[in-house]
Amino acid sequence: AGMEGLSVGSVLLTGCDGGLGLGLLKGLLEQPSPPRHIFAACLDPQGKDRGHQPVPKPSCPLADVTDPNSIKAAVRKVQAEVGSAGLNLLINNSGTTRRSTLATETAENMSLVYATNTIGPLQTSQAFLPLLKEAAEAEGQREMSCSRAAIVNISSILGSIEVAEAWQERQDICYRCSKAALNMLTKCLALEYGRSGILCVSVDPGHVTPPLEQGMGPVTLEESVRGVLQLLAQLSATNNGTFWDWRGQRLPW
């Protein structure tokens, strides 16, 4: 895909209230051929918290990825706009964390973080499956790609069981467990939805708040966004059900 960037007809991006979500939204709009339809799902549709950043009004009522009614309303909204072309790309970026150590971790933290980081992407993916299938079929015989039909789960290297990175810096058990579970969800989605031509991957954007020590992730949000969008432009069928980082490197589960 090289320099022409990520070319995709329609995108739904959750968690656009700030940080990476807002960065990805701007990055998508700045692609050489930006999406015809971009659905930016925010917790705060009025944008009170987004300051004065010059971004479009979010066009999606997906206030809460843990609320099935909110998700259903978003599906109806997207369906009304995209029609039979379906939805090409779902980016599950909604995420939360609670700072914790093994000594201080609680059932409440675990439940809260799991509900948003793991159950949220599951429910959103299930609900948008019919529209993703439509997109996969609408594009005819083309190979699997993010331009055709894909689910991208924004994960974290902190969820890699093999790497178990940055243990000294942040234990954050609830976050690590939720992202490890999200990675398993990615694999399950790939096994099931892949048969319909929908590509499913986990991506570590390297951009965590508060940041880890030097050298562990991109220096800036812009670098993270550029890297992630470049990666998405290059993914194909052989990458279905895999885990990548913002540098375009394959990560171990």
Side-chain angles (χ1 to χ4, degrees), residues 66-96:
T66 63
D67 173 16
N69 290 323
S70 189
I71 297 171
K72 280 194 197 96
V75 171
R76 285 193 297 272
K77 166 96 181 170
V78 172
Q79 200 158 21
E81 300 259 338
V82 300
S84 60
L87 176 69
N88 298 112
L89 178 59
L90 168 62
I91 304 178
N92 286 314
N93 169 66
S94 264
T96 190

Side-chain angles (χ1 to χ4, degrees), residues 72-211:
K72 280 194 197 96
V75 171
R76 285 193 297 272
K77 166 96 181 170
V78 172
Q79 200 158 21
E81 300 259 338
V82 300
S84 60
L87 176 69
N88 298 112
L89 178 59
L90 168 62
I91 304 178
N92 286 314
N93 169 66
S94 264
T96 190
T97 188
R98 294 286 185 280
R99 299 309 309 272
S100 65
T101 63
L102 202 45
T104 63
E105 195 53 272
T106 63
E108 188 193 16
N109 275 350
M110 292 292 282
S111 302
L112 255 170
V113 173
Y114 192 84
T116 299
N117 293 6
T118 313
I119 299 172
L122 166 69
Q123 293 185 139
T124 308
S125 299
Q126 287 172 327
F128 280 96
L129 175 62
L131 289 176
L132 289 160
K133 273 186 171 168
E134 268 191 296
E137 286 155 21
E139 295 290 347
Q141 301 310 302
R142 281 176 44 202
E143 209 209 338
M144 266 188 178
S145 72
C146 287
S147 300
R148 182 184 171 196
I151 296 172
V152 174
N153 288 328
I154 299 296
S155 185
S156 170
I157 196 165
L158 298 184
S160 167
I161 291 172
E162 197 172 320
V163 178
E165 191 144 295
W167 181 250
Q168 301 311 322
E169 287 72 41
R170 51 167 24 156
Q171 295 191 357
D172 293 6
I173 312 300
C174 52
Y175 185 77
R176 287 176 186 270
C177 291
S178 73
K179 292 299 191 180
L182 177 65
N183 285 347
M184 175 53 99
L185 175 63
T186 296
K187 182 59 90 173
C188 296
L189 293 170
L191 291 168
E192 186 65 16
Y193 295 0
R195 298 187 301 200
S196 302
I198 300 164
L199 178 68
C200 303
V201 296
S202 274
V203 176
D204 165 39
H207 190 78
V208 290
T209 312

Side-chain angles (χ1 to χ4, degrees), residues 222-245:
E222 288 68 34
E223 274 182 284
S224 174
V225 167
R226 198 178 318 123
V228 169
L229 293 177
Q230 214 169 345
L231 167 74
L232 299 191
Q234 289 158 359
L235 295 172
S236 66
T238 52
N239 311 128
N240 191 34
T242 54
F243 187 18
W244 296 82
D245 76 4

